[in-house]
Every structure is written in structure tokens, then in C-alpha cells.
Amino acid sequence: MDRTTQHYLAALDRAKLDAESRIAHLEAEGRQDEADLEKIRRNVLAHFAKLAQQDALKGQKDGAAGFAHVHAPRFEEMAEPWRQRQQKAAAHGDVVAQTIEETKLKTLRQIWTLYQQTEVRE
């Protein structure tokens, strides 16, 4: 696995650990709603980290370019169903579902930023 991909995977792991820490802090303060949203964020990070590891194996023979070819389309693939659910929730006035989908999409944008920063580093 090339260094760029390793840096990206490490950044995802750090972000997941940061989310775990925030969850514990929020729960200790009795801020369960915020902790629940952070759990959603952590789950998106964990799922994307797993996908990134699989994509790294698939694109391994071509290095960073192979990984990027396999991994980059995941961002749009993941986002589209969440956007659709968010729009339906907004149309039906379901604030809870809308907030959940917004949290997922915001987390995905943060992961995309991590991905771009890592790709530029090397």
C-alpha cells in the first residue's frame, strides 16, 4: 500500500477515535442527543474506513492512482441515497430524519476534505 493511501486511512482512524472521545464527553455531560448524532458520524467514518481498506486492496497494483480510481466514486455513491432521504424528510417535516441525513452528508464532506488533503500531501 502506498504512503498516500496509508496517510488517508490513518486520518480516517484518527477522526473515528476523535468521534469516540466526543461521544464519551457528551454522554458524561448528559447531552445524549448530541452524543447520538456523534455516533452517527462515527459510524459513517467507520464504514468509510472499511470501504477505503477494501478499495486499497482492489487498487493496490496501481498504487495511489488505482486507489483513487476505485475510491473516489464512493463519495457520490454514498451521498445520493442520503440526499434523497434528506429531501423526503424535509418534504414531510421529519426534523429528526432530516438531521440524521444532514449529519451523514456533513460527515461525508469532511471525509472528502480529508481525502483531498491526503492526496495533495504526497
Side-chain angles (χ1 to χ4, degrees):
M1 185 180 313
D2 65 279
R3 285 180 33 168
T4 301
T5 304
Q6 289 175 347
H7 285 296
Y8 172 62
L9 293 173
L12 285 174
D13 285 340
R14 283 190 304 276
K16 193 172 72 167
L17 290 173
D18 288 347
E20 289 284 348
S21 176
R22 281 191 298 279
I23 290 166
H25 178 74
L26 290 166
E27 287 179 337
E29 290 183 348
R31 297 162 55 189
Q32 194 58 48
D33 289 344
E34 293 170 88
D36 290 344
L37 287 175
E38 193 64 28
K39 288 176 185 177
I40 292 167
R41 184 175 182 280
R42 178 209 49 211
N43 291 346
V44 171
L45 286 161
H47 181 69
F48 226 83
K50 192 175 290 186
L51 289 174
Q53 290 172 343
Q54 292 170 357
D55 292 345
L57 293 174
K58 287 179 188 174
Q60 189 171 0
K61 66 181 178 188
D62 296 324
F67 173 70
H69 178 74
V70 174
H71 191 63
R74 297 264 196 200
F75 289 93
E76 190 56 36
E77 292 169 7
M78 296 284 293
E80 189 53 33
W82 295 342
R83 275 192 214 105
Q84 290 175 6
R85 284 194 294 269
Q86 179 191 25
Q87 290 170 352
K88 285 180 185 177
H92 292 100
D94 187 343
V95 177
V96 173
Q98 188 176 353
T99 302
I100 289 169
E101 299 309 320
E102 286 173 359
T103 300
K104 292 176 184 177
L105 289 166
K106 181 180 177 185
T107 303
L108 191 61
R109 286 190 299 272
Q110 292 168 338
I111 295 170
W112 175 250
T113 300
L114 276 176
Y115 176 73
Q116 289 180 312
Q117 289 171 344
T118 305
E119 289 300 305
V120 171
R121 276 171 66 177
E122 292 297 311

